[in-house]
């Protein structure tokens, strides 16, 4: 089929929208079983997690709440401390709550391991991670991702919530862009 629109910038579809939808349904069903009789709080990390969070929550057949945080890492590549700056904090107390962090992609794992410690120190009863994607070859810290969608190779990906320079979040598939898309810059970030 001939490519049109944003797909003209795509070199390769790594995970198709059908595969994502099947996996997100399966994760939602597992979460429903694991949290039965509880009211989990899904914490989405902005902006990348909004697409996966909104699909995932519709497959969780339990009363659940959502909340959001935004973070930025201190100068990627210049630190291994894993300290992240909180740009937008949670709007509620999480003492005693069953918190499930929802993230788009785990790379070094530094962002999530910092967030995990931070949320546990606020008294969350349990804290687990759900991530659509993981790049295991890039991991710098040990981090359990209890609910994982897909492992991907060390390539810069976009789509299904994940951006390049603010764009491509609305692609339904997870994709790798053509090199010429980055040519005006210095190459893919990261
Ligand atoms: P970590 O702290 O695990 O190294 O960083 C995770 C964050 O890096 C993700 O939430 C995402 O914002 C960014 N990231 C990692 N890999 C990619 C990628 O392939 N594409 C994009 N757009 N962002 C990525």
């Amino acid at each position: 089929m001939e490519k049109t629109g944003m797909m003209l910038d795509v070199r390769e579809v790594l995970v198709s929208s059908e595969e994502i939808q099947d996996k997100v349904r399966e994760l939602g069903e597992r979460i429903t079983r694991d949290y039965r009789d509880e009211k989990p709080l899904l914490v989405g990390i902005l902006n990348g997690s909004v697409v996966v969070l909104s699909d995932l929550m519709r497959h969780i057949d339990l009363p659940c709440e959502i909340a959001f945080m935004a973070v930025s890492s201190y100068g990627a590549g210049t630190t291994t401390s894993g300290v992240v700056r909180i740009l937008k904090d949670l709007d509620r107390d999480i003492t005693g709550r069953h918190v499930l962090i929802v993230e788009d992609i785990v790379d070094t794992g530094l962002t999530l391991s910092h967030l995990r410690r931070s949320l546990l120190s606020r008294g969350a009863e349990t804290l687990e991670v759900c991530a659509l994607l993981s790049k295991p070859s890039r991991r710098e810290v040990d981090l359990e991702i209890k609910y994982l969608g897909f492992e991907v190779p060390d390539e810069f990906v976009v789509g299904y919530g994940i951006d390049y320079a603010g764009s491509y979040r609305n692609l339904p598939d997870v994709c790798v862009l053509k090199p010429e898309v980055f040519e005006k810059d210095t190459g893919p970030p990261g």
Side-chain angles (χ1 to χ4, degrees):
M1 204 167 39
E2 208 184 316
K3 286 184 175 180
T4 56
M6 282 185 296
M7 286 308 277
L8 290 169
D9 292 346
V10 167
R11 190 193 80 200
E12 188 189 346
V13 172
L14 276 189
V15 194
S16 72
S17 127
E18 291 76 19
E19 292 173 288
I20 296 171
Q21 293 305 326
D22 286 350
K23 182 64 79 175
V24 168
R25 181 181 311 107
E26 182 192 311
L27 291 175
E29 288 168 358
R30 264 180 63 202
I31 292 166
T32 303
R33 284 196 298 277
D34 292 354
Y35 288 87
R36 67 181 172 278
D37 303 328
E38 307 292 349
K39 186 181 188 182
L41 174 66
L42 310 186
V43 173
I45 310 305
L46 294 170
N47 294 329
S49 73
V50 294
V51 179
V52 61
L53 180 88
S54 72
D55 280 347
L56 179 70
M57 68 185 293
R58 283 175 280 183
H59 292 293
I60 299 178
D61 188 12
L62 292 172
C64 72
E65 292 178 9
I66 59 170
F68 293 95
M69 289 180 86
V71 298
S72 84
S73 7
Y74 277 116
T78 61
T79 177
T80 51
S81 67
V83 174
V84 298
R85 192 152 57 101
I86 293 180
L87 304 176
K88 179 203 178 303
D89 208 344
L90 288 176
D91 58 3
R92 69 195 72 193
D93 182 17
I94 57 165
T95 311
R97 296 300 305 264
H98 294 281
V99 174
L100 179 60
I101 301 180
V102 181
E103 177 65 302
D104 51 359
I105 179 163
V106 184
D107 190 43
T108 62
L110 292 169
T111 308
L112 270 187
S113 69
H114 176 82
L115 272 179
R116 227 182 155 271
R117 280 196 302 277
S118 163
L119 296 188
L120 277 174
S121 75
R122 302 182 196 188
E125 169 90 22
T126 62
L127 199 140
E128 300 293 351
V129 172
C130 175
L132 177 72
L133 304 174
S134 169
K135 288 181 184 168
S137 64
R138 298 258 310 161
R139 201 73 89 249
E140 289 181 23
V141 287
D142 222 10
L143 178 82
E144 192 206 350
I145 306 174
K146 185 162 181 182
Y147 305 99
L148 174 65
F150 303 92
E151 290 190 345
V152 289
D154 182 15
E155 298 222 56
F156 186 81
V157 301
V158 297
Y160 199 70
I162 304 170
D163 76 310
Y164 168 57
S167 296
Y168 303 104
R169 293 192 197 276
N170 50 331
L171 273 174
D173 314 291
V174 168
C175 302
V176 178
L177 294 173
K178 290 178 181 166
E180 53 265 36
V181 176
F182 305 107
E183 260 159 24
K184 58 183 183 325
D185 307 320
T186 49

